[in-house]
Structure formats: structure tokens, C-alpha cells
Amino acid sequence: MTPDLLVSGGRCVLPGGVQDADLAIADGRIVAIVQPGVIREARARLDVAGRFVLPGVIDAHVHVRDPGQTHKEDYAHASRAAAVGGVTTMISQPNTVPAITDVQGFAAVVEAARLSRVDHAICAGILAAAPDPRAVGGLAEAGAVAFEVLDDTGPLDGAGWLSLFDAVAPTGRPLAFLAADRAVMRRNLEAARARPGAGWRDFSRVISGEAEMLGYARAAALARISQVPLIVRQVTTAAGLQTLRQVKRAGSEVPVWVEVNVHHLFLTDEDLERQGPYAHMVPPPRPAEDVAALWLGINDGTVDFVSTDHAPHTREEKERGRVDLWTAPTGIPGLDSFAKLLVDAALTGRLSLERLAELVAGTPSRLHRLDHLKGAIRVGVDADLVVIDPAADWQLDEQHLHTRCGWSAFAGRRGRGALVATLLRGQLIAKDGIPLDAPIGRLLTPR
Ligand SMILES: [Zn+2]
């Protein structure tokens, strides 16, 4: 059979290692991975000699803001940023307006996502104050890949937490949340606000290592009790990570997946001090010692996947933080810079390309049960590919961003390894930093 496309001459990052190989693609899927030159005929050819080919990135934590807050972001803009940034699958968060806490909310997002240039899946929400097992069941049937705890700032007692886990248990889907202990966070917040002349660094102490330790240990125990796979979101401290390392070493029949957001690997509390509202996020950027601990966790396997927590706000909204930092909206955009930062880290020796592929494609595909379609350069799955030129450098300029908000905490950064092409199901969706405008994104549902 003559393939539709032959991606030839690349150094492919396969699950077993980096290998020189040609990739044959038919009907949007990888149909053969062969020695260079073995397949001579194809309807089209993409020559990627001297370049690395990575599996398409899955960003498992994206606030697309659509519907409801489309002045901040929407599917058209977010998915252009994704395409240029090597992200071929976005998993969207449920705090839209309306929130994705029932099948109507789910349907509204599916409708908005018709303008997506990349494939997408939906993480639905479960209301902490009033978990509704019937709504959860309906959302799982509609295709939600995971459940995120919403409105989780209030006090939840042991029974409250258990009812959340129990509501999700019949679906078999993971439950995800920022699991740091709420009572400790509240106490830290009050102490920080009471400090005369409190600044950005005081805010960075609110979610402390102790809050992470306490909350993670409890969340892992609840996951075992209720037999619900757990996604521990947004781990940032050395102490929190060490708790999870111990949890994972002890072993459990239900998986505990550890997420780190890309900005916590590349920003510190010094950046928060310098950039103020534009580096203001929850959890906040950490001191360099914690960042170093996260990198150890990346390389020793404690961290399972890296995502963006892409959470844009307009400049006007962020500027409010200059007047009163406690009322500034939290969150920063990440889709434009996500893969760039990590590719540079790989090419400068901070992690291997194989480990990078596992962190941003392999593991997120498995834990959301999308691995029949996505996650690796493997025969049978979608031909979602990112082509990297290791000889070309990049610089992140705000005028070339595609997110709606138009700013980045990483503006001005430079690095190695330009992203020169992105393919979704064998179709070119971005080339040399330019998105190709065709909303071909599809809704993905778990196997
Ligand atoms: Zn988030």
C-alpha cells in the first residue's frame, strides 16, 4: 500500500529510544516505522533530515475559558498557540461559564471547541459542596476523561472528601485536584496578609511544604480507600514531592499520578518578585531549592507528567495586582512556551528526549485512557508529530504569541531547538511558527 505521507530522514523519539527512521502515514495514522530509505513510494513526502521528531504534545491542564470568558481566551486562539507550540491535544478544564458539571455544560464546550485546530478532550468538574453521582455518571458517559474538584476552597471534612471520591468511583476515571491542606493554607494566608508591607514573596508562602505534605498524604489514603485513581495536581515543593515519592514507593493498587506545571520548572520566587502580577499563579513560583527538587523528581520518575495550567487573563485584569496583589487574578498563559522550554531543557542535558516524550505525551495519554489514539510514535496511533530543528535557536517574542491575552511570563527567553512543524493526524497544522488555519480538531473520548 502506498502511504499518504512519508516523514523521512528524521531522528525519531520512539518509546524505546531515539532512532533514525522513516514514518509512513495513511488515513492519519502511523502505519509503518522503518529504516531510512526502505519505503520508496508515497503520495507526499516531508523531509526532516537532521531533525528530531517527537510525539505530539498532550497538554492535560488547559483553561480555554470558552464558553464564558472569551475575552481572556477561546478555542480559536488557544488552539493556534497549541499548534505552533507543538501541542496536538488539549485537555480542557471545567471552570468555564457555565461550568462542566453536567451534560449541558459538557455539550456547550463541545460546541465551542468546533473552532479548535487541535484535538481535545474534556476534564469535567465535580462540585465539592454538592457532589452529584448522577451528573458524574452522565459526564463519564459523554466522554469526560477525568474529574476535577471545583469550588474546593471551603472547609471539607473527612466525610465530605469521601463523598467526592465515592461519587467518581463507579466511573473508573481519575479524580484530580490541588490537594494541599486547606486549613494550613488559610492560616498561612491570614499570616501573610497581616504582615506589614506584605509583597509578592509573602504570597508565595501561602501554599507551604507542610500544606502539600498533609494534603497529599490524605488524598493518597482516600484514593486507596475509595479505589479511585488520583491525579495530584500542581506539585511545587520539595516536601510535597518527597511525600509523594514515599506514597509511590509504598505501592498501591490504584494509581497516584503526579502533575507538575511547566512554569514551576522555569520560574522562581525571584521571577514573581520581578514580574509581580504576570508571574502570579496558584501555587506560586518557588525558591530555587524547590525547583531543583522538582527537576530531580522529573528525572527519578516521581513526577508522572508535565502540563501548563494555561490560565490567561487580560493585561488590564493583571494590572489590578499592582494596586492590590491580594485581588489580582491568578494564572498565566503557557501553550506558546510549553514545549519550547522543555525541548531546550532536553537539548541542554536537563532531561532526555525519551523522558520528555513520556512526560508530555506517553503518560498523559495512558492516564486519560487516550493511548489507543495518542501518546507515542507507534504503529496504529494518530500521526501527531512535532519536528524540532536542534541547530536552530528560538526567542519568545510577545508579538508572535497566538494566545488571546498576548503576553507571556517567558517573553524574551531564548533557547535551543526551534519547533519547525506540527502535524495532527498526518496533516500539517503549523510550520515555522505559523498556524495553518483549519479547525480540524476532534473531541477525544477515553477507550
Ligand atoms: Zn488550573
Side-chain angles (χ1 to χ4, degrees), residues 192-433:
R193 291 189 80 151
R195 210 166 286 140
W200 291 104
R201 273 205 172 130
D202 295 281
F203 183 85
S204 86
R205 298 193 185 99
V206 169
I207 303 182
S208 56
E210 291 77 11
E212 287 197 350
M213 286 166 69
L214 270 173
Y216 296 170
R218 187 182 46 220
L222 287 166
R224 285 170 78 144
I225 292 164
S226 56
Q227 294 286 295
V228 172
L230 174 67
I231 298 174
V232 182
R233 289 266 192 236
Q234 305 176 278
V235 177
T236 56
T237 69
L241 195 69
Q242 182 58 20
T243 302
L244 291 166
R245 189 175 278 121
Q246 284 159 358
V247 162
K248 292 175 85 168
R249 275 191 192 143
S252 167
E253 60 276 33
V254 292
V256 173
W257 308 99
V258 176
E259 179 197 66
V260 163
N261 294 147
V262 66
H263 42 236
H264 294 123
L265 295 169
F266 294 95
L267 295 174
T268 66
D269 57 348
E270 281 180 29
D271 295 295
L272 177 61
E273 191 77 57
R274 215 181 51 241
Q275 298 199 42
Y278 294 98
H280 181 40
M281 61 192 72
V282 175
R286 297 299 186 184
E289 309 86 78
D290 285 315
V291 177
L294 293 184
W295 277 102
L296 281 177
I298 288 280
N299 282 310
D300 77 3
T302 308
V303 177
D304 291 294
F305 68 106
V306 179
S307 55
T308 59
D309 188 19
H310 177 82
H313 301 280
T314 65
R315 283 181 200 273
E316 293 70 32
E317 290 166 335
K318 279 296 197 182
E319 284 296 323
R320 287 209 306 265
R322 304 231 186 254
V323 183
D324 179 3
L325 69 91
W326 305 106
T327 60
T330 58
I332 68 169
L335 282 165
D336 288 284
S337 48
F338 180 28
K340 279 193 169 85
L341 292 165
L342 286 167
V343 163
D344 174 65
L347 295 179
T348 52
R350 301 187 81 180
L351 77 168
S352 69
L353 284 165
E354 295 94 313
R355 182 74 187 128
L356 171 58
E358 194 54 32
L359 287 163
V360 300
T363 304
S365 77
R366 281 194 301 279
L367 85 92
H368 296 100
R369 288 169 38 191
L370 299 171
D371 49 331
H372 57 309
L373 300 171
K374 306 289 181 187
I377 299 179
R378 197 175 70 231
V379 170
V381 301
D382 291 348
D384 296 355
L385 305 170
V386 187
V387 182
I388 311 286
D389 182 353
D393 293 344
W394 53 263
Q395 178 171 328
L396 200 95
D397 296 318
E398 285 193 337
Q399 66 267 32
H400 294 137
L401 297 176
H402 294 280
T403 46
R404 180 146 221 172
C405 68
W407 57 269
S408 169
F410 300 102
R413 288 232 186 183
R414 296 158 175 272
R416 286 183 59 190
L419 278 59
V420 292
T422 308
L423 284 83
L424 175 67
R425 288 181 265 106
Q427 285 193 53
L428 207 53
I429 57 167
K431 192 170 185 308
D432 298 323

